[in-house]
Amino acid sequence: MKLSGAEILLKMLESEGVDSIFGYPGGVLIGLYDEMAKSNIRHYLVRHEQGAVHAADGYARISGKVGVCLVTSGPGATNTVTGIASAYCDSIPMVVLTGQVPTNLIGNDAFQEVDIVGITRPCTKHNYLVKDVNELADTIREAFHIARSGRPGPVLIDLPKDVLAGTANFKQPKGPVTMRSYNPTVTPNTKQLTKVIKELMKAKKPLIMAGGGIISSNASQALTDFARKLQIPVTTTLMGLGAFPGSDDLSLGMIGMHGTYRANMSTGDCDVLLGVGVRFDDRVTGKTDTFASQAKIIHVDIDPTSIRKNVPVSIPVVGDCKATLDKLNELLTGENLTEIPEKRAPWLKCIAEWKAAQRLAYDQTDVIKPQYVVERLCKITEGKAIISTEVGQNQMWAAQFYDFDQPNRFVTSGGLGVMGFGLPAAIGAQVAAPNDLVVDVAGDGSIQMNIQELGTAMQHKLPVKVVILNNGYLGMVRQWQELFFGKRYCATQMDVQPDFVKLAEAYGATGLRATKPEEVDEVLKKGLAAEGPVIMDFVVEREECVYPMVPAGAPITEMLLV
Ligand SMILES: Cc1ncc(C[n+]2csc(CCOP(=O)(O)OP(=O)(O)O)c2C)c(N)n1
């Protein structure tokens, strides 16, 4: 069957199960868009290409599928770089399709030509420039395979205009993709796992640290079973929130710079630390040579290059998190677990004391506290909403005060920390979960970075809700200036702000505002129940800080408390 490159691309996307694409057209893509109008794939027109990538990111996290975005050459392609880098840091499976000038013009400084393959090489898992229409089908298959297998990540395919317009004989490729140079290790080594069990059985003060890898490999249940059988407390990273039920007695909450007192103290004191699907990022470890210094560290990760990158590891396990935890659960059946509760009692008691000594708390005054807004949001939504965040204090308060009992409910730019992520990611999440309530918890600074995506939400009837914790500052930077730079507030005050209620209305959305604590519930209830996209502007305490806080580079047990 002779087909055009555009037709082949669409056939291949359909065969990969793609139903939604987030994109923005341009000259080199007009022919492809013309074809796409005839296909079953839904296209979501964003307002800025950065929005397309973040939306594909949110869609991928909630659907468990590969997110796809499509943008034109040159400026369209460069506008995606931040979103690609964010997905790369957070290991999100994604295929980014970029248009390119015709092959005979590549390298000639043609109009809207940019070397996007060169630009994105360090922030993609892999990328391709397709020079021949005959290679298109196999390239697409390979790209999806790479994006979703092993440690997931973004893959970029650059598509010159003449390749999309050219024709080739098309035969649907069949069978699994095989690549000699790429074979991630999914199944862990049983000998290593036997050692893991031995260490954990021997341990007096074991601790599990669960990361985003648990969520992306669907290992939450396996982790929960394992932790409960061995009565091991679990702390999660920001990316791992929801990997273990936050309401479980064994849950210590989040670890790291703004982690809970009990999680950070336990890390300092534990004798065996089992890290699963975590990167040991500096926001988690603080000063690395003091991190878990009493402990033997066991690290499970599908990416061997992640192991021993940041901390010394006694037992490395290369494998998929779910495959590993399933196998560990299997191996445990032969162990005598009856003595476990008695053996764990002193350690769990010690943790309970840390918990009682320092809870996440804030002082209620007659000004709205940002923590209170998140707490009420959690209560009113019964902890069931999908929460995306922007970056800054809003992100940390969402992580601390919303209770995540399930995986895939918290969508945040963890690794790169991209302001402007939350609204487009919420849009992608809403496409993936049309019947769920999706709320972006935002700062007044961050929301202005991609506020234009409210237009996308309106056009495609995606009823995302935005909760702005409006402190009139770039709050997180202001917090550092307050604590470490003698309160010299430089370039963090937003002197000119839009009226967010009117801004929402200008897009045809609903806008609401609360300025007093007693108005919070009413605005939340009204806003969450309203049809279509809503912006809720909460005018909060201007100089509130996020606590606990570990100063950058300090040991994580040395926290500043309220
Ligand atoms: C694109 C981008 N630029 C700059 C930063 C640095 N930064 C981190 S947090 C922050 C302040 C965020 O302010 P706001 O969105 O108002 O949220 P708040 O901290 O007040 O909740 C800044 C500027 C960033 N993370 N991302």
Side-chain angles (χ1 to χ4, degrees):
M1 191 174 19
K2 240 190 165 51
L3 294 181
S4 71
E7 289 170 313
I8 293 172
L9 172 66
L10 290 164
K11 278 221 174 313
M12 290 305 299
L13 293 179
E14 281 173 3
S15 70
E16 293 293 337
V18 175
D19 52 29
S20 307
I21 291 183
F22 303 90
Y24 208 96
V28 297
L29 293 182
I30 296 178
L32 174 59
Y33 270 87
D34 195 48
E35 261 332 303
M36 192 159 47
K38 300 177 211 156
S39 87
N40 290 328
I41 295 175
R42 272 165 301 156
H43 179 270
Y44 293 86
L45 176 65
V46 294
R47 297 300 185 262
H48 185 297
E49 288 87 352
Q50 187 187 349
V53 197
H54 294 326
D57 185 318
Y59 173 88
R61 296 191 204 217
I62 299 303
S63 67
K65 301 207 282 189
V66 177
V68 180
C69 57
L70 170 64
V71 302
T72 195
S73 64
T78 50
N79 274 348
T80 64
V81 174
T82 300
I84 294 174
S86 179
Y88 185 60
C89 279
D90 287 348
S91 308
I92 305 302
M94 187 185 290
V95 169
V96 180
L97 304 165
T98 50
Q100 183 53 283
V101 302
T103 43
N104 65 328
L105 292 183
I106 291 176
N108 287 13
D109 285 345
F111 175 64
Q112 295 195 327
E113 182 197 354
V114 79
D115 174 12
I116 196 65
V117 166
I119 290 171
T120 60
R121 183 156 291 141
C123 62
T124 46
K125 189 169 170 191
H126 196 57
N127 62 16
Y128 300 89
L129 167 61
V130 185
K131 286 198 182 138
D132 182 345
V133 62
N134 291 297
E135 289 166 11
L136 193 53
D138 282 338
T139 305
I140 293 162
R141 234 158 70 92
E142 250 180 49
F144 275 84
H145 172 65
I146 294 172
R148 65 162 76 95
S149 61
R151 176 179 182 169
V155 178
L156 183 138
I157 312 177
D158 204 18
L159 301 159
K161 185 174 177 168
D162 55 323
V163 170
L164 289 172
T167 54
N169 275 322
F170 176 72
K171 223 173 95 201
Q172 184 75 48
K174 293 220 162 64
V177 178
T178 47
M179 294 172 70
R180 237 190 312 154
S181 56
Y182 175 72
N183 285 302
T185 306
V186 176
T187 314
N189 179 308
T190 310
K191 259 197 199 148
Q192 293 297 87
L193 297 188
T194 317
K195 280 195 218 163
V196 172
I197 300 272
K198 232 188 216 153
E199 282 302 333
L200 289 174
M201 291 302 286
K202 228 171 49 191
K204 289 201 172 71
K205 298 189 264 184
L207 178 67
I208 295 175
M209 185 173 145
I214 299 277
I215 294 176
S216 61
S217 72
N218 275 325
S220 289
Q221 192 55 53
L223 169 75
T224 309
D225 293 347
F226 186 70
R228 285 183 183 156
K229 273 190 218 168
L230 284 183
Q231 287 289 298
I232 305 179
V234 182
T235 175
T236 69
T237 64
L238 179 74
M239 289 296 291
L241 281 174
F244 185 77
S247 59
D248 195 288
D249 280 347
L250 289 170
S251 168
L252 305 184
M254 185 170 72
I255 188 177
M257 182 174 272
H258 295 293
T260 64
Y261 182 73
R262 63 187 191 279
N264 288 359
M265 293 307 283
S266 309
T267 312
D269 215 36
C270 65
D271 57 1
V272 177
L273 177 70
L274 170 64
V276 195
V278 291
R279 295 184 298 133
F280 293 103
D281 175 273
D282 58 285
R283 283 293 190 266
V284 159
T285 60
K287 192 171 187 296
T288 39
D289 50 9
T290 56
F291 176 76
S293 53
Q294 316 288 321
K296 272 198 178 162
I297 298 183
I298 305 168
H299 189 184
V300 178
D301 206 290
I302 193 144
D303 174 10
T305 67
S306 237
I307 296 176
R308 298 205 172 97
K309 195 172 195 168
N310 298 325
V311 294
V313 169
S314 307
I315 309 177
V317 179
V318 179
D320 171 73
C321 293
K322 180 164 187 315
T324 304
L325 285 159
D326 281 346
K327 192 85 195 151
L328 283 173
N329 276 320
E330 224 177 277
L331 289 172
L332 263 190
T333 48
E335 298 289 335
N336 183 1
L337 299 175
T338 47
E339 289 163 18
I340 290 285
E342 197 189 334
K343 211 170 144 193
R344 288 288 178 265
W347 178 223
L348 294 179
K349 183 166 168 271
C350 174
I351 289 172
E353 280 165 15
W354 279 321
K355 182 174 179 177
Q358 272 296 331
R359 289 173 185 280
L360 288 172
Y362 58 94
D363 291 326
Q364 187 62 65
T365 61
D366 55 0
V367 182
I368 302 177
K369 290 290 174 134
Q371 301 94 325
Y372 177 68
V373 177
V374 179
E375 219 170 57
R376 295 306 304 160
L377 175 68
C378 183
K379 195 94 195 153
I380 290 168
T381 58
E382 295 171 354
K384 290 191 177 130
I386 293 173
I387 302 291
S388 74
T389 75
E390 302 294 336
V391 166
Q393 294 180 315
N394 58 84
Q395 181 183 29
M396 292 303 129
W397 283 319
Q400 292 179 335
F401 288 91
Y402 202 92
D403 303 325
F404 296 97
D405 263 355
Q406 284 172 31
N408 294 321
R409 299 274 103 180
F410 186 58
V411 180
T412 200
S413 171
L416 197 67
V418 181
M419 291 172 71
F421 173 86
L423 177 56
I427 286 172
Q430 188 78 80
V431 169
N435 300 322
D436 285 353
L437 177 62
V438 183
V439 184
D440 171 30
V441 175
D444 48 307
S446 299
I447 194 64
Q448 293 183 62
M449 284 214 176
N450 277 320
I451 187 85
Q452 76 287 344
E453 297 309 328
L454 201 54
T456 307
M458 287 302 293
Q459 178 163 337
H460 296 283
K461 302 194 166 39
L462 299 163
V464 295
K465 316 296 180 207
V466 181
V467 165
I468 302 179
L469 305 175
N470 187 349
N471 52 21
Y473 282 112
L474 298 176
M476 189 56 100
V477 184
R478 185 210 60 77
Q479 171 165 344
W480 285 48
Q481 290 172 336
E482 176 184 333
L483 299 175
F484 310 116
F485 291 85
K487 260 195 158 192
R488 291 184 299 279
Y489 295 167
C490 176
T492 44
Q493 190 157 354
M494 286 278 190
D495 288 335
V496 174
Q497 294 278 45
D499 178 330
F500 288 111
V501 173
K502 284 192 186 149
L503 188 64
E505 288 166 0
Y507 275 101
T510 305
L512 299 166
R513 176 173 296 120
T515 54
K516 295 188 218 109
E518 55 273 23
E519 293 166 356
V520 169
D521 271 22
E522 191 192 324
V523 165
L524 280 173
K525 283 183 187 155
K526 212 163 145 186
L528 297 175
E531 243 177 75
V534 178
I535 287 189
M536 289 164 262
D537 182 23
F538 293 91
V539 180
V540 298
E541 173 73 55
R542 301 202 67 199
E543 296 185 55
E544 189 72 9
C545 289
V546 183
Y547 290 111
M549 179 180 194
V550 179
I556 66 161
T557 45
E558 289 177 20
M559 287 156 274
L560 306 175
L561 302 164
V562 191

